[in-house]
Amino acid sequence: IAWMKNYPFNTLLFSFGGITAHYPTNVSYHYKSNYLPAGRDLAGDVLREAHQSGIRVIARYDFSRTRKEVYDAHPEWFYKKKEGGPVIDDNGLHTTCINGGYYNQKALEILTESLDRYDADGYFFNWFGNVRSDYKGDPIGLCHCIECERQFKEKYGRPIPDVADKEYEEFMYQSTANVAKKVGDLIRLKNPDALF
């Protein structure tokens, strides 16, 4: 923050949680950084120092991936390839699905904990929704998890196609919008002046 004050910055985007918590979280399947010393609250410290210096803080979250331990406990929360396997990045993180329980339950629990503790000025969600390529830009295909299969068939009367078509694009747009509404409603309830 002292470094930032030497420049004409007025806003800081800072990672709070999701893949890694930068505060001592109490939410199951939300893991604090291995580099966070015991008893330290990096998110809280940065937020306090920034606000004292007149700098706004945008809390950053990434719910697009998480650890293998979460996948092992709840494989139904994750993006599933057509042939049945999970999508795993080069760091061993497993890709979550916008229609699964991680986005629809766990992410909201993590966000609730953070909103109850911190008064960030805004909220940003990295790679929100089902991104169809990996970090290198290679395609990963369409999600065939149990929830995507069930919801798509219920709405369109057919299985998920091999290649995205108009109905699949509509389905993914609506799925993402549904979760974004839940997130937005929660933020407006707990921190109505924050940007989202």
Side-chain angles (χ1 to χ4, degrees):
I1 300 303
W3 178 83
M4 286 184 68
K5 287 165 66 174
N6 291 323
Y7 296 87
F9 298 144
N10 64 11
T11 307
L12 169 65
L13 175 69
F14 191 80
S15 185
F16 273 49
I19 294 173
T20 302
H22 292 102
Y23 65 90
T25 181
N26 294 316
V27 176
S28 62
Y29 303 124
H30 191 216
Y31 302 94
K32 76 176 185 66
S33 169
N34 293 334
Y35 301 98
L36 187 66
R40 286 294 307 273
D41 180 353
L42 185 59
D45 291 348
V46 166
L47 185 65
R48 184 184 65 255
E49 292 290 329
H51 281 176
Q52 287 173 356
S53 299
I55 297 169
R56 296 181 203 89
V57 175
I58 306 297
R60 179 192 180 277
Y61 298 84
D62 192 334
F63 300 122
S64 69
R65 290 161 176 71
T66 190
R67 296 183 183 189
K68 181 181 185 302
E69 300 95 279
V70 185
Y71 175 80
D72 290 343
H74 290 282
E76 72 278 8
W77 290 356
F78 290 80
Y79 205 106
K80 184 177 171 185
K81 296 178 186 176
K82 184 177 181 181
E83 59 273 13
V87 175
I88 306 168
D89 72 13
D90 292 342
N91 298 312
L93 295 173
H94 288 56
T95 301
T96 59
C97 175
I98 195 69
N99 287 312
Y102 191 80
Y103 264 109
N104 285 278
Q105 296 155 16
K106 190 54 60 178
L108 297 174
E109 189 179 340
I110 291 166
L111 188 56
T112 297
E113 177 184 63
S114 184
L115 284 160
D116 286 344
R117 289 186 188 183
Y118 309 111
D119 61 339
D121 303 286
Y123 297 84
F124 170 79
F125 300 88
N126 193 57
W127 277 43
F128 192 85
N130 284 13
V131 180
R132 291 183 224 147
S133 60
D134 62 19
Y135 287 135
K136 295 176 278 191
D138 295 330
I140 59 175
L142 308 184
C143 182
H144 289 267
C145 77
I146 192 168
E147 275 303 309
C148 281
E149 290 282 10
R150 182 188 67 77
Q151 291 179 32
F152 190 83
K153 186 158 192 155
E154 188 176 279
K155 183 164 186 165
Y156 298 104
R158 65 185 177 103
I160 289 176
D162 291 336
V163 177
D165 58 17
K166 183 180 177 189
E167 289 181 340
Y168 186 81
E169 296 296 353
E170 177 184 89
F171 172 68
M172 276 293 109
Y173 176 84
Q174 192 58 56
S175 296
T176 303
N178 290 344
V179 177
K181 182 178 185 327
K182 292 177 188 177
V183 168
D185 288 348
L186 180 60
I187 291 169
R188 286 183 203 97
L189 175 69
K190 299 220 172 240
N191 190 352
D193 294 329
L195 298 173
F196 161 52

